[in-house]
Amino acid sequence: MSSLAAARYGKDNVRVYKVHRDEKTGVQTVVEMTVCVLLEGEIDTSYTKADNSVIVATDSIKNTIYITAKQQPVTPPELFGSILGTHFIEKYSHIHAAHVNIVTHRWVRMDVEGKPHPHSFIKEGGETRNVQVDVIEGKGIDINSSINGLTVLKSTGSQFWGFLRDEYTTLKETWDRILSTDVAASWQWRRFSGLPEVKANADKFNDAWETARNTTLKTFAEDNSASVQATMYKMSELILAAVPDLETVSYSLPNIHYFEIDLSWHKGLKNTGKDAEVYAPQSGPNGLIKCTVARSGQKAKL
């Protein structure tokens, strides 16, 4: 005998672009997103008995995303995700949970001759602003916000020494090294009771994103890092202190290595230690360091 243990379905990779035109100033603002909506509820029979009557077609989910984007604000993404998720559990009595993931692609206004251009933009690298919104009927709305693909590097101000050494260790200690990583940072909000409370707190989402991003960059640049672990913990503490509505802050940081190249074989050319100037960037393997920092009294989930 077997039974359906868990099920959810929906529409993934829905690409959405929205432009806001200020008729008075002529300035336009653009938002580009990739949206995924997955639904849960009384849908078991669609799997176990081939009963399609309980399925909200994924094409209908896609159309709902577009229509909602037209009729409602798409920023901040935490609010848009909450509006979308709430729609599905209120519209369909047999749907009890909606999971909305939004990836916002970063477009930055172009400067032309020292002035911001009213309708031209630059796509900066692969950095995205992401949110995961889970609307659960009878429980509330859980929101996790994040930054992904923010690549940073500093050419000094990083150390790594005093680590465990045994018969497997070949890594040399260093008091000055290149530090580079692709930042994946996320922060979990306290549970909201419903869409009205999310709307009432909408201004906090952009402020928190700015705080998390700026704190990450400032701490990365200024901290004389003893390790990736120590630096990411400092970042997390600072963000929690600055944003009281957050429960946890998490980081996942790959340590992207740049290795010195010994060129002494070529006429005694010095290129190691204090003389190192030319390095070989490594695509892998790489270190990967993760942590979740919670407020005192809360248990961190790794």
mmCIF file of all heavy atoms in Angstrom, residues 103-137:
data_model
loop_
_atom_site.group_PDB
_atom_site.id
_atom_site.type_symbol
_atom_site.label_atom_id
_atom_site.label_comp_id
_atom_site.label_asym_id
_atom_site.label_seq_id
_atom_site.Cartn_x
_atom_site.Cartn_y
_atom_site.Cartn_z
ATOM 1 N N VAL A 103 12.521 36.356 -7.992
ATOM 2 C CA VAL A 103 13.895 36.787 -8.232
ATOM 3 C C VAL A 103 13.825 38.114 -8.988
ATOM 4 O O VAL A 103 13.307 38.160 -10.106
ATOM 5 C CB VAL A 103 14.679 35.745 -9.047
ATOM 6 C CG1 VAL A 103 16.088 36.256 -9.361
ATOM 7 C CG2 VAL A 103 14.740 34.411 -8.311
ATOM 8 N N THR A 104 14.308 39.176 -8.362
ATOM 9 C CA THR A 104 14.306 40.491 -8.999
ATOM 10 C C THR A 104 15.686 40.757 -9.584
ATOM 11 O O THR A 104 16.686 40.760 -8.860
ATOM 12 C CB THR A 104 13.942 41.603 -7.997
ATOM 13 O OG1 THR A 104 12.676 41.301 -7.408
ATOM 14 C CG2 THR A 104 13.871 42.952 -8.700
ATOM 15 N N HIS A 105 15.734 40.967 -10.886
ATOM 16 C CA HIS A 105 17.000 41.194 -11.584
ATOM 17 C C HIS A 105 17.382 42.668 -11.485
ATOM 18 O O HIS A 105 16.522 43.552 -11.580
ATOM 19 C CB HIS A 105 16.868 40.741 -13.037
ATOM 20 C CG HIS A 105 16.387 39.326 -13.165
ATOM 21 N ND1 HIS A 105 17.217 38.238 -13.015
ATOM 22 C CD2 HIS A 105 15.138 38.823 -13.372
ATOM 23 C CE1 HIS A 105 16.521 37.131 -13.156
ATOM 24 N NE2 HIS A 105 15.248 37.452 -13.368
ATOM 25 N N ARG A 106 18.658 42.915 -11.293
ATOM 26 C CA ARG A 106 19.124 44.251 -10.926
ATOM 27 C C ARG A 106 19.391 45.122 -12.156
ATOM 28 O O ARG A 106 20.354 44.906 -12.893
ATOM 29 C CB ARG A 106 20.389 44.125 -10.072
ATOM 30 C CG ARG A 106 20.926 45.453 -9.537
ATOM 31 C CD ARG A 106 22.077 45.199 -8.583
ATOM 32 N NE ARG A 106 22.770 46.404 -8.198
ATOM 33 C CZ ARG A 106 22.371 47.255 -7.261
ATOM 34 N NH1 ARG A 106 21.244 47.023 -6.616
ATOM 35 N NH2 ARG A 106 23.081 48.334 -6.971
ATOM 36 N N TRP A 107 18.539 46.112 -12.356
ATOM 37 C CA TRP A 107 18.760 47.153 -13.355
ATOM 38 C C TRP A 107 19.071 48.459 -12.621
ATOM 39 O O TRP A 107 18.336 48.865 -11.723
ATOM 40 C CB TRP A 107 17.532 47.347 -14.243
ATOM 41 C CG TRP A 107 17.305 46.233 -15.226
ATOM 42 C CD1 TRP A 107 16.389 45.217 -15.133
ATOM 43 C CD2 TRP A 107 18.019 46.020 -16.446
ATOM 44 N NE1 TRP A 107 16.479 44.385 -16.220
ATOM 45 C CE2 TRP A 107 17.475 44.854 -17.056
ATOM 46 C CE3 TRP A 107 19.061 46.692 -17.092
ATOM 47 C CZ2 TRP A 107 17.941 44.352 -18.270
ATOM 48 C CZ3 TRP A 107 19.525 46.198 -18.296
ATOM 49 C CH2 TRP A 107 18.968 45.044 -18.878
ATOM 50 N N VAL A 108 20.158 49.119 -13.018
ATOM 51 C CA VAL A 108 20.596 50.360 -12.381
ATOM 52 C C VAL A 108 20.520 51.481 -13.407
ATOM 53 O O VAL A 108 20.960 51.319 -14.556
ATOM 54 C CB VAL A 108 22.034 50.220 -11.844
ATOM 55 C CG1 VAL A 108 22.506 51.522 -11.218
ATOM 56 C CG2 VAL A 108 22.111 49.080 -10.827
ATOM 57 N N ARG A 109 19.973 52.606 -12.989
ATOM 58 C CA ARG A 109 19.817 53.727 -13.910
ATOM 59 C C ARG A 109 21.169 54.188 -14.455
ATOM 60 O O ARG A 109 22.147 54.322 -13.725
ATOM 61 C CB ARG A 109 19.096 54.885 -13.218
ATOM 62 C CG ARG A 109 18.628 55.977 -14.172
ATOM 63 C CD ARG A 109 17.771 57.013 -13.452
ATOM 64 N NE ARG A 109 16.591 56.427 -12.846
ATOM 65 C CZ ARG A 109 15.481 56.141 -13.503
ATOM 66 N NH1 ARG A 109 15.403 56.375 -14.812
ATOM 67 N NH2 ARG A 109 14.448 55.603 -12.888
ATOM 68 N N MET A 110 21.215 54.444 -15.749
ATOM 69 C CA MET A 110 22.447 54.846 -16.423
ATOM 70 C C MET A 110 22.719 56.337 -16.192
ATOM 71 O O MET A 110 21.795 57.158 -16.218
ATOM 72 C CB MET A 110 22.308 54.570 -17.930
ATOM 73 C CG MET A 110 23.575 54.773 -18.738
ATOM 74 S SD MET A 110 23.271 54.501 -20.521
ATOM 75 C CE MET A 110 22.786 52.773 -20.532
ATOM 76 N N ASP A 111 23.980 56.672 -15.965
ATOM 77 C CA ASP A 111 24.411 58.065 -15.908
ATOM 78 C C ASP A 111 24.972 58.465 -17.266
ATOM 79 O O ASP A 111 25.830 57.771 -17.818
ATOM 80 C CB ASP A 111 25.489 58.267 -14.837
ATOM 81 C CG ASP A 111 24.888 58.369 -13.439
ATOM 82 O OD1 ASP A 111 23.699 58.688 -13.329
ATOM 83 O OD2 ASP A 111 25.624 58.116 -12.461
ATOM 84 N N VAL A 112 24.491 59.562 -17.798
ATOM 85 C CA VAL A 112 24.975 60.092 -19.074
ATOM 86 C C VAL A 112 25.429 61.522 -18.842
ATOM 87 O O VAL A 112 24.633 62.367 -18.412
ATOM 88 C CB VAL A 112 23.887 60.030 -20.167
ATOM 89 C CG1 VAL A 112 24.397 60.631 -21.466
ATOM 90 C CG2 VAL A 112 23.439 58.584 -20.392
ATOM 91 N N GLU A 113 26.701 61.767 -19.066
ATOM 92 C CA GLU A 113 27.296 63.090 -18.844
ATOM 93 C C GLU A 113 27.022 63.588 -17.424
ATOM 94 O O GLU A 113 26.690 64.760 -17.190
ATOM 95 C CB GLU A 113 26.791 64.098 -19.882
ATOM 96 C CG GLU A 113 27.209 63.754 -21.312
ATOM 97 C CD GLU A 113 26.748 64.793 -22.323
ATOM 98 O OE1 GLU A 113 25.885 65.638 -21.973
ATOM 99 O OE2 GLU A 113 27.261 64.758 -23.457
ATOM 100 N N GLY A 114 27.162 62.642 -16.484
ATOM 101 C CA GLY A 114 27.031 62.992 -15.079
ATOM 102 C C GLY A 114 25.630 63.130 -14.556
ATOM 103 O O GLY A 114 25.428 63.496 -13.393
ATOM 104 N N LYS A 115 24.624 62.816 -15.379
ATOM 105 C CA LYS A 115 23.239 62.939 -14.954
ATOM 106 C C LYS A 115 22.504 61.603 -15.138
ATOM 107 O O LYS A 115 22.731 60.907 -16.127
ATOM 108 C CB LYS A 115 22.522 64.023 -15.750
ATOM 109 C CG LYS A 115 23.094 65.432 -15.561
ATOM 110 C CD LYS A 115 22.315 66.435 -16.384
ATOM 111 C CE LYS A 115 22.872 67.844 -16.201
ATOM 112 N NZ LYS A 115 22.123 68.850 -17.020
ATOM 113 N N PRO A 116 21.609 61.248 -14.182
ATOM 114 C CA PRO A 116 20.823 60.019 -14.335
ATOM 115 C C PRO A 116 19.886 60.123 -15.530
ATOM 116 O O PRO A 116 19.135 61.090 -15.652
ATOM 117 C CB PRO A 116 20.050 59.916 -13.019
ATOM 118 C CG PRO A 116 20.044 61.298 -12.456
ATOM 119 C CD PRO A 116 21.291 61.959 -12.921
ATOM 120 N N HIS A 117 19.950 59.120 -16.412
ATOM 121 C CA HIS A 117 19.109 59.147 -17.604
ATOM 122 C C HIS A 117 17.685 58.721 -17.241
ATOM 123 O O HIS A 117 17.484 57.793 -16.447
ATOM 124 C CB HIS A 117 19.680 58.216 -18.672
ATOM 125 C CG HIS A 117 19.115 58.470 -20.037
ATOM 126 N ND1 HIS A 117 17.954 57.865 -20.476
ATOM 127 C CD2 HIS A 117 19.534 59.272 -21.045
ATOM 128 C CE1 HIS A 117 17.686 58.275 -21.706
ATOM 129 N NE2 HIS A 117 18.626 59.142 -22.076
ATOM 130 N N PRO A 118 16.672 59.369 -17.817
ATOM 131 C CA PRO A 118 15.289 59.094 -17.397
ATOM 132 C C PRO A 118 14.766 57.717 -17.773
ATOM 133 O O PRO A 118 13.826 57.224 -17.149
ATOM 134 C CB PRO A 118 14.478 60.192 -18.091
ATOM 135 C CG PRO A 118 15.309 60.613 -19.255
ATOM 136 C CD PRO A 118 16.732 60.473 -18.797
ATOM 137 N N HIS A 119 15.360 57.063 -18.782
ATOM 138 C CA HIS A 119 14.770 55.780 -19.196
ATOM 139 C C HIS A 119 15.800 54.769 -19.724
ATOM 140 O O HIS A 119 15.438 53.859 -20.466
ATOM 141 C CB HIS A 119 13.686 56.011 -20.251
ATOM 142 C CG HIS A 119 14.166 56.745 -21.481
ATOM 143 N ND1 HIS A 119 13.860 58.057 -21.706
ATOM 144 C CD2 HIS A 119 14.933 56.350 -22.520
ATOM 145 C CE1 HIS A 119 14.412 58.441 -22.844
ATOM 146 N NE2 HIS A 119 15.062 57.412 -23.355
ATOM 147 N N SER A 120 17.069 54.914 -19.323
ATOM 148 C CA SER A 120 18.103 53.962 -19.750
ATOM 149 C C SER A 120 18.773 53.350 -18.531
ATOM 150 O O SER A 120 19.026 54.032 -17.534
ATOM 151 C CB SER A 120 19.142 54.657 -20.641
ATOM 152 O OG SER A 120 18.535 55.132 -21.831
ATOM 153 N N PHE A 121 19.103 52.041 -18.634
ATOM 154 C CA PHE A 121 19.546 51.287 -17.474
ATOM 155 C C PHE A 121 20.705 50.352 -17.838
ATOM 156 O O PHE A 121 20.904 50.015 -19.004
ATOM 157 C CB PHE A 121 18.386 50.465 -16.894
ATOM 158 C CG PHE A 121 17.183 51.304 -16.548
ATOM 159 C CD1 PHE A 121 16.238 51.615 -17.517
ATOM 160 C CD2 PHE A 121 17.011 51.795 -15.272
ATOM 161 C CE1 PHE A 121 15.137 52.407 -17.216
ATOM 162 C CE2 PHE A 121 15.908 52.588 -14.953
ATOM 163 C CZ PHE A 121 14.972 52.884 -15.930
ATOM 164 N N ILE A 122 21.445 49.934 -16.817
ATOM 165 C CA ILE A 122 22.546 48.983 -16.964
ATOM 166 C C ILE A 122 22.246 47.774 -16.088
ATOM 167 O O ILE A 122 21.829 47.919 -14.929
ATOM 168 C CB ILE A 122 23.888 49.607 -16.545
ATOM 169 C CG1 ILE A 122 24.249 50.802 -17.434
ATOM 170 C CG2 ILE A 122 25.009 48.568 -16.594
ATOM 171 C CD1 ILE A 122 25.454 51.574 -16.939
ATOM 172 N N LYS A 123 22.471 46.585 -16.619
ATOM 173 C CA LYS A 123 22.320 45.363 -15.825
ATOM 174 C C LYS A 123 23.680 45.004 -15.246
ATOM 175 O O LYS A 123 24.600 44.644 -15.969
ATOM 176 C CB LYS A 123 21.782 44.219 -16.694
ATOM 177 C CG LYS A 123 21.196 43.075 -15.887
ATOM 178 C CD LYS A 123 20.458 42.114 -16.800
ATOM 179 C CE LYS A 123 19.624 41.123 -16.004
ATOM 180 N NZ LYS A 123 18.853 40.223 -16.884
ATOM 181 N N GLU A 124 23.804 45.127 -13.922
ATOM 182 C CA GLU A 124 25.087 44.952 -13.251
ATOM 183 C C GLU A 124 25.288 43.499 -12.824
ATOM 184 O O GLU A 124 24.733 43.051 -11.833
ATOM 185 C CB GLU A 124 25.176 45.866 -12.033
ATOM 186 C CG GLU A 124 25.287 47.342 -12.377
ATOM 187 C CD GLU A 124 25.590 48.184 -11.154
ATOM 188 O OE1 GLU A 124 25.241 47.755 -10.035
ATOM 189 O OE2 GLU A 124 26.175 49.263 -11.310
ATOM 190 N N GLY A 125 26.106 42.777 -13.584
ATOM 191 C CA GLY A 125 26.466 41.423 -13.198
ATOM 192 C C GLY A 125 25.271 40.516 -12.993
ATOM 193 O O GLY A 125 24.208 40.692 -13.579
ATOM 194 N N GLY A 126 25.431 39.542 -12.110
ATOM 195 C CA GLY A 126 24.382 38.561 -11.880
ATOM 196 C C GLY A 126 23.670 38.726 -10.555
ATOM 197 O O GLY A 126 22.958 37.814 -10.111
ATOM 198 N N GLU A 127 23.847 39.873 -9.911
ATOM 199 C CA GLU A 127 23.234 40.062 -8.597
ATOM 200 C C GLU A 127 21.711 40.135 -8.707
ATOM 201 O O GLU A 127 21.169 40.797 -9.589
ATOM 202 C CB GLU A 127 23.753 41.345 -7.947
ATOM 203 C CG GLU A 127 23.169 41.584 -6.566
ATOM 204 C CD GLU A 127 23.543 42.936 -5.986
ATOM 205 O OE1 GLU A 127 24.386 43.642 -6.591
ATOM 206 O OE2 GLU A 127 22.980 43.296 -4.929
ATOM 207 N N THR A 128 21.027 39.451 -7.789
ATOM 208 C CA THR A 128 19.567 39.483 -7.742
ATOM 209 C C THR A 128 19.090 39.711 -6.314
ATOM 210 O O THR A 128 19.788 39.419 -5.343
ATOM 211 C CB THR A 128 18.947 38.169 -8.263
ATOM 212 O OG1 THR A 128 19.417 37.067 -7.465
ATOM 213 C CG2 THR A 128 19.292 37.936 -9.723
ATOM 214 N N ARG A 129 17.885 40.254 -6.221
ATOM 215 C CA ARG A 129 17.191 40.390 -4.942
ATOM 216 C C ARG A 129 16.061 39.373 -4.936
ATOM 217 O O ARG A 129 15.170 39.425 -5.789
ATOM 218 C CB ARG A 129 16.649 41.803 -4.779
ATOM 219 C CG ARG A 129 15.787 42.001 -3.534
ATOM 220 C CD ARG A 129 15.295 43.437 -3.436
ATOM 221 N NE ARG A 129 14.359 43.595 -2.331
ATOM 222 C CZ ARG A 129 13.812 44.764 -1.967
ATOM 223 N NH1 ARG A 129 14.110 45.862 -2.633
ATOM 224 N NH2 ARG A 129 12.951 44.823 -0.949
ATOM 225 N N ASN A 130 16.078 38.446 -3.994
ATOM 226 C CA ASN A 130 15.133 37.331 -3.994
ATOM 227 C C ASN A 130 14.243 37.369 -2.761
ATOM 228 O O ASN A 130 14.662 37.819 -1.689
ATOM 229 C CB ASN A 130 15.871 35.986 -4.025
ATOM 230 C CG ASN A 130 16.754 35.839 -5.246
ATOM 231 O OD1 ASN A 130 16.809 36.721 -6.107
ATOM 232 N ND2 ASN A 130 17.457 34.732 -5.331
ATOM 233 N N VAL A 131 13.025 36.868 -2.916
ATOM 234 C CA VAL A 131 12.157 36.681 -1.757
ATOM 235 C C VAL A 131 11.442 35.336 -1.884
ATOM 236 O O VAL A 131 11.123 34.884 -2.978
ATOM 237 C CB VAL A 131 11.117 37.816 -1.593
ATOM 238 C CG1 VAL A 131 11.790 39.156 -1.406
ATOM 239 C CG2 VAL A 131 10.146 37.858 -2.748
ATOM 240 N N GLN A 132 11.211 34.717 -0.748
ATOM 241 C CA GLN A 132 10.370 33.534 -0.654
ATOM 242 C C GLN A 132 9.236 33.876 0.294
ATOM 243 O O GLN A 132 9.468 34.187 1.468
ATOM 244 C CB GLN A 132 11.153 32.333 -0.121
ATOM 245 C CG GLN A 132 10.311 31.081 0.112
ATOM 246 C CD GLN A 132 9.772 30.477 -1.179
ATOM 247 O OE1 GLN A 132 10.499 30.386 -2.169
ATOM 248 N NE2 GLN A 132 8.514 30.081 -1.177
ATOM 249 N N VAL A 133 8.008 33.867 -0.230
ATOM 250 C CA VAL A 133 6.827 34.202 0.565
ATOM 251 C C VAL A 133 5.954 32.963 0.665
ATOM 252 O O VAL A 133 5.549 32.391 -0.355
ATOM 253 C CB VAL A 133 6.035 35.362 -0.071
ATOM 254 C CG1 VAL A 133 4.795 35.667 0.763
ATOM 255 C CG2 VAL A 133 6.907 36.604 -0.210
ATOM 256 N N ASP A 134 5.642 32.552 1.888
ATOM 257 C CA ASP A 134 4.778 31.399 2.130
ATOM 258 C C ASP A 134 3.526 31.878 2.857
ATOM 259 O O ASP A 134 3.595 32.298 4.023
ATOM 260 C CB ASP A 134 5.503 30.338 2.959
ATOM 261 C CG ASP A 134 6.748 29.832 2.253
ATOM 262 O OD1 ASP A 134 6.612 29.302 1.136
ATOM 263 O OD2 ASP A 134 7.856 29.987 2.803
ATOM 264 N N VAL A 135 2.394 31.832 2.151
ATOM 265 C CA VAL A 135 1.114 32.248 2.725
ATOM 266 C C VAL A 135 0.370 30.990 3.136
ATOM 267 O O VAL A 135 -0.011 30.172 2.283
ATOM 268 C CB VAL A 135 0.288 33.067 1.718
ATOM 269 C CG1 VAL A 135 -1.016 33.534 2.355
ATOM 270 C CG2 VAL A 135 1.099 34.266 1.210
ATOM 271 N N ILE A 136 0.170 30.813 4.428
ATOM 272 C CA ILE A 136 -0.455 29.604 4.967
ATOM 273 C C ILE A 136 -1.786 29.969 5.604
ATOM 274 O O ILE A 136 -1.836 30.783 6.543
ATOM 275 C CB ILE A 136 0.442 28.917 6.023
ATOM 276 C CG1 ILE A 136 1.891 28.799 5.508
ATOM 277 C CG2 ILE A 136 -0.134 27.560 6.393
ATOM 278 C CD1 ILE A 136 2.044 27.945 4.282
ATOM 279 N N GLU A 137 -2.860 29.403 5.082
ATOM 280 C CA GLU A 137 -4.194 29.708 5.587
ATOM 281 C C GLU A 137 -4.280 29.410 7.082
ATOM 282 O O GLU A 137 -3.886 28.346 7.550
ATOM 283 C CB GLU A 137 -5.241 28.884 4.830
ATOM 284 C CG GLU A 137 -6.669 29.246 5.170
ATOM 285 C CD GLU A 137 -7.671 28.433 4.360
ATOM 286 O OE1 GLU A 137 -7.316 27.348 3.883
ATOM 287 O OE2 GLU A 137 -8.798 28.923 4.198
#
